[in-house]
Amino acid sequence: MRFLFVHGTGVRRDRHDTLFALVRERLTDRFPGATVDSCFWGERFGAALGSGGRSVPGLRTAAAAHADAADTETAEWGLLLADPLCELRVLAEAGWDTAGPGSGSGSGDDPFALPGVQPAGTRVLDLLHRFAEAPYGPRGEGGELRALLDGTGLAPGFRPALLAAAGSAEAARAGARATAEPQARELATALARSVTAGALATAGADADCTAAERDRLVELITARLGGGARVPGARAAALLGRLALRVSTQPLLNAWRGSLTAGATPALGDILRYQARGTELRSFLHARITAAPGPTVLIGHSLGGIALVDLLALEAATGGPVPGAELLVTVGSQAPYLYELGALTALPPGSALPYGFPRWLNVYDRQDVLSYVAGPVFPGDPRVTDHEIRSRQPFPASHSAYWKQRSLYERIEVAVAEAGIG
């Protein structure tokens, strides 16, 4: 048995090699006797701005982070990715309520403070500065923290994120307001979330970080800052959660035309180029599929899945099945949506999948706005199955979050067995 992985839009050599190494490791663990190959097409058939973007009036290079989330946690992280300091800003400006035991005055003046005893918030900030100076400890050992950062691709941006949080006016002001221990614990958590969000934002699409790994990173940083679990009823969390839910239901229209254009290349550019010159990529895929004997399981991410659906449907309708292609797995794919639009080469809207088209497992995530379901647009076709993944990540991270999800590979294993592939 052979697996052939076809990457998605915007992927170039470095990103491909990192991503494929992960996919190959997970597939090999689950299918020890299988061959796992990749079909890298990004640099040969992908898009680039041939004139450096000169067609864009007032080209700017800053990119805006977008979030489109349904639940509070995901929406909060959407805001944090766009502005890692936003939760600290809430604490800096709003402080804490004065009511409740141990809440403090909220103004930075603690009537019960003892002479010579460091205020709670100042202690947390001191720990943050020490952490920024030696993120992996005094002897450079990393332990779980280093392994987690290396495994998620967040290591390059981690110390800059620490320094950004430690040097921010928001952290200093929030620290001055945190006069009691409960406030200090909330401050530690807010700082940990700020640092994690900063590292994630720096890594961008190169981050291979699940929601569970993200949450564990927050826990480790919080512990280094003297905090514990997130404080129930925390003030910043309540305010940020309400704001996140409001923002996540509205379009984020804060990106400049130049930013959208430059940021969309090569991702959007690859899609547009495929629509105009898809024959080249489909011919390349056909040659790679038939270069080795089957049975072959084809795994296509995003645009890779679109190209595979196009190829398999076109070949089945005109010349017969693609030799060896026994199972198609699309992940985060727009193929069903393009089918409805009439934008697939071989499948006009309303037409059935042709005889000879293989079994099709379509994997999607509700948080991934670039993923669609296939079953409802091919009703009654037993070859088509949808499977939902819940990564708990905001978009666009959700579009790349599939590959560390155990449930993805478990479902592929089921599909392989159902197809009778051995």
Side-chain angles (χ1 to χ4, degrees):
M1 180 173 58
R2 173 183 179 229
F3 290 89
L4 183 62
F5 173 71
V6 183
H7 66 79
T9 181
V11 173
R12 296 301 181 259
R13 174 55 70 180
D14 289 346
R15 172 62 179 155
H16 165 269
D17 291 349
T18 301
L19 177 60
F20 178 58
L22 171 64
V23 174
R24 179 172 53 195
E25 177 188 351
R26 297 297 175 92
L27 287 173
T28 301
D29 286 346
R30 198 163 287 271
F31 302 94
T35 300
V36 183
D37 294 327
S38 177
C39 187
F40 175 61
W41 56 265
E43 291 174 2
R44 182 174 177 182
F45 301 106
L49 288 173
S51 300
R54 295 175 188 171
S55 62
V56 183
L59 179 65
R60 297 172 62 110
T61 58
H66 293 263
D68 185 0
D71 60 86
T72 304
E73 179 195 41
T74 307
E76 285 178 14
W77 279 101
L79 286 183
L80 284 164
L81 288 175
D83 178 9
L85 297 176
C86 64
E87 191 169 11
L88 292 173
R89 194 169 291 115
V90 171
L91 294 177
E93 297 301 324
W96 281 267
D97 290 329
T98 58
S103 64
S105 66
S107 64
D109 298 321
D110 184 359
F112 301 103
L114 298 176
V117 177
Q118 193 178 47
T122 303
R123 186 190 70 249
V124 173
L125 293 180
D126 286 348
L127 289 171
L128 177 64
H129 284 284
R130 294 178 198 170
F131 193 14
E133 292 172 359
Y136 303 115
R139 294 181 299 278
E141 62 271 349
E144 184 183 357
L145 176 62
R146 180 182 286 276
L148 184 58
L149 292 172
D150 289 341
T152 56
L154 301 186
F158 183 63
R159 189 163 186 267
L162 274 171
L163 293 171
S168 67
E170 290 83 355
R173 183 162 172 76
R177 283 175 166 261
T179 60
E181 285 303 320
Q183 299 166 358
R185 290 198 299 272
E186 182 178 355
L187 175 62
T189 301
L191 287 167
R193 282 156 61 88
S194 174
V195 172
T196 301
L200 283 166
T202 299
D206 290 333
D208 288 317
C209 185
T210 65
E213 289 170 327
R214 177 198 67 202
D215 295 345
R216 180 56 180 159
L217 181 57
V218 170
E219 291 175 0
L220 292 174
I221 299 172
T222 301
R224 288 286 294 269
L225 301 182
R230 191 168 182 182
V231 181
R235 181 168 176 78
L239 292 174
L240 188 68
R242 288 196 295 270
L243 176 61
L245 286 177
R246 290 183 61 187
V247 171
S248 69
T249 60
Q250 302 171 10
L252 300 180
L253 300 177
N254 59 339
W256 294 82
R257 180 182 181 185
S259 298
L260 288 173
T261 306
T265 305
L268 178 59
D270 284 357
I271 297 173
L272 296 176
R273 182 180 175 91
Y274 174 77
Q275 293 300 110
R277 296 183 173 87
T279 302
E280 300 171 349
L281 178 54
R282 288 192 296 273
S283 297
F284 178 64
L285 293 177
H286 188 279
R288 291 287 286 114
I289 294 169
T290 57
T296 300
V297 178
L298 303 171
I299 302 178
H301 181 220
S302 191
L303 179 56
I306 294 173
L308 286 172
V309 171
D310 256 347
L311 169 65
L312 294 170
L314 184 63
E315 291 294 311
T318 59
V322 175
E326 298 292 337
L327 174 64
L328 169 65
V329 181
T330 55
V331 178
S333 176
Q334 305 87 53
Y337 177 64
L338 295 182
Y339 164 76
E340 286 197 87
L341 292 177
L344 290 181
T345 303
L347 289 173
S351 64
L353 291 173
Y355 178 80
F357 193 94
R359 288 173 177 262
W360 179 8
L361 171 63
N362 179 65
V363 181
Y364 70 98
D365 184 336
R366 292 174 190 269
Q367 304 297 342
D368 176 12
V369 299
L370 295 179
S371 68
Y372 295 85
V373 292
V377 295
F378 296 104
D381 193 324
R383 293 171 292 180
V384 182
T385 304
D386 291 307
H387 178 70
E388 182 176 3
I389 293 287
R390 294 182 180 269
S391 70
R392 296 168 46 229
Q393 298 273 47
F395 183 80
S398 55
H399 190 55
S400 302
Y402 299 94
W403 306 108
K404 278 194 171 181
Q405 307 301 317
R406 179 189 298 271
S407 59
L408 170 65
Y409 301 95
E410 290 174 344
R411 189 60 186 84
I412 291 176
E413 187 173 27
V414 171
V416 167
E418 291 174 343
I421 304 172

